[in-house]
Amino acid sequence: DALSAFKQHLNSLRNRVLCPKSDFRCTVNRVLDFPLETRVRLLQEACRGTEWEEPPTICAAPHSNCATLHEISKYFALRKKQHKMFILAGSALLRRFALLLMDVPLTMIPSVLDGPSQFIGFLGGCAGDGKSRVIHALLYLAKNWGYPRAIKTCAYTGVAATNVYGATLHSTFNWSPKGIPQARSKITDQQREAFKPVLMVILDEISQVAQHLVACLQIALQKILGNVQLLGGLDFLFVGDWLQHL
């Protein structure tokens, strides 16, 4: 029936995006055990040849554990506009990986880059336009390069959070569902530990998030990361459909 078909589809996407525990260590080691020069070269090559091409009907998973943006875009059969956002966000993520290799702290990134030091984007579209597919492709990119925890996904509602393999906004930042989160709320060691490997945050269903919650999000990230930059200096992708309220 329709429900079982939907569950099978969700499981197939989960298998693409999530890294099984059995081969997680192997995946990470194959990437991070490369010499520094090799990893830098692979990162540079991954950002090349990003022009969109009509995806084939069936495309096999990338053979390499350091797949290029183009290979992952073809694997997820991204359409032209999906591909454009994936390249923008994916390039920013790969740049963060390169800075990690050079042991550049988050607070020092603006001083070592000539261009923009932070990616902040918005991915919009109606229901069924494939916004979640772009998110899944970005999660796959992080896992493929050996940084499965580099992206933290969250959403305002539990259903939307489940679809992007994340948690609700209140759960992510340990906010009470009652009342307005307090700017002076205490940050726990568990929160700091959870955000240590995070390089990018993806917030789905942004159209449902009130303005004061975005302000609380900004304050919470600055306190958790000890960074006064906008949104704690992390790359950020807002996703949603503003027209759903009309």
Side-chain angles (χ1 to χ4, degrees):
D1 57 358
L3 181 59
S4 61
F6 173 76
K7 289 182 178 179
Q8 290 178 358
H9 174 66
L10 188 62
N11 287 333
S12 66
L13 287 177
R14 185 183 299 274
N15 292 334
R16 280 189 180 190
V17 176
L18 299 183
C19 185
K21 292 183 179 180
S22 58
D23 63 354
F24 165 74
R25 186 179 300 278
C26 184
T27 301
V28 173
N29 288 343
R30 277 200 298 267
V31 177
L32 300 185
D33 285 348
F34 289 147
L36 177 60
E37 296 79 5
T38 303
R39 283 180 281 166
V40 172
R41 176 179 56 80
L42 289 171
L43 283 165
Q44 293 172 339
E45 292 176 355
C47 294
R48 295 172 183 165
T50 56
E51 295 78 12
W52 181 79
E53 296 178 2
E54 187 71 35
T57 305
I58 300 177
C59 184
H63 298 292
S64 169
N65 282 97
C66 298
T68 66
L69 297 176
H70 184 71
E71 289 174 334
I72 296 177
S73 178
K74 287 180 63 178
Y75 177 45
F76 280 85
L78 300 182
R79 297 189 296 271
K80 196 168 186 177
K81 290 185 178 180
Q82 292 173 314
H83 173 83
K84 184 176 181 180
M85 177 52 74
F86 172 70
I87 294 301
L88 288 172
S91 298
L93 192 60
L94 291 178
R95 181 177 58 177
R96 294 274 182 165
F97 294 164
L99 293 173
L100 278 180
L101 297 179
M102 295 184 288
D103 292 326
V104 177
L106 195 62
T107 54
M108 294 295 295
I109 288 178
S111 63
V112 299
L113 291 179
D114 295 331
S117 59
Q118 186 180 23
F119 168 81
I120 300 178
F122 171 71
L123 173 61
C126 300
D129 277 353
K131 300 185 295 295
S132 296
R133 197 163 186 81
V134 177
I135 298 174
H136 295 161
L138 289 169
L139 291 172
Y140 183 91
L141 171 66
K143 184 197 77 171
N144 182 268
W145 276 87
Y147 298 95
R149 298 173 61 197
I151 300 178
K152 182 171 285 293
T153 54
C154 54
Y156 186 71
T157 65
V159 173
T162 301
N163 191 41
V164 294
Y165 311 111
T168 64
L169 192 61
H170 287 73
S171 176
T172 300
F173 293 98
N174 199 27
W175 294 339
S176 171
K178 298 181 180 180
I180 300 175
Q182 298 298 316
R184 296 181 180 179
S185 57
K186 185 178 179 181
I187 302 299
T188 65
D189 292 338
Q190 289 81 0
Q191 286 177 293
R192 292 190 176 93
E193 190 67 26
F195 272 88
K196 271 186 178 180
V198 176
L199 303 174
M200 175 182 289
V201 175
I202 299 178
L203 175 56
D204 198 8
E205 299 295 352
I206 180 60
S207 57
Q208 299 183 18
V209 182
Q211 183 178 357
H212 70 270
L213 287 179
V214 178
C216 292
L217 168 68
Q218 149 87 346
I219 296 172
L221 286 174
Q222 289 178 334
K223 292 173 67 175
I224 291 172
L225 299 169
N227 190 337
V228 296
Q229 298 177 47
L230 182 64
L231 297 169
L234 295 176
D235 290 337
F236 221 96
L237 179 60
F238 296 98
V239 183
D241 175 18
W242 294 109
L243 298 180
Q244 66 184 183
H245 293 293
L246 297 180

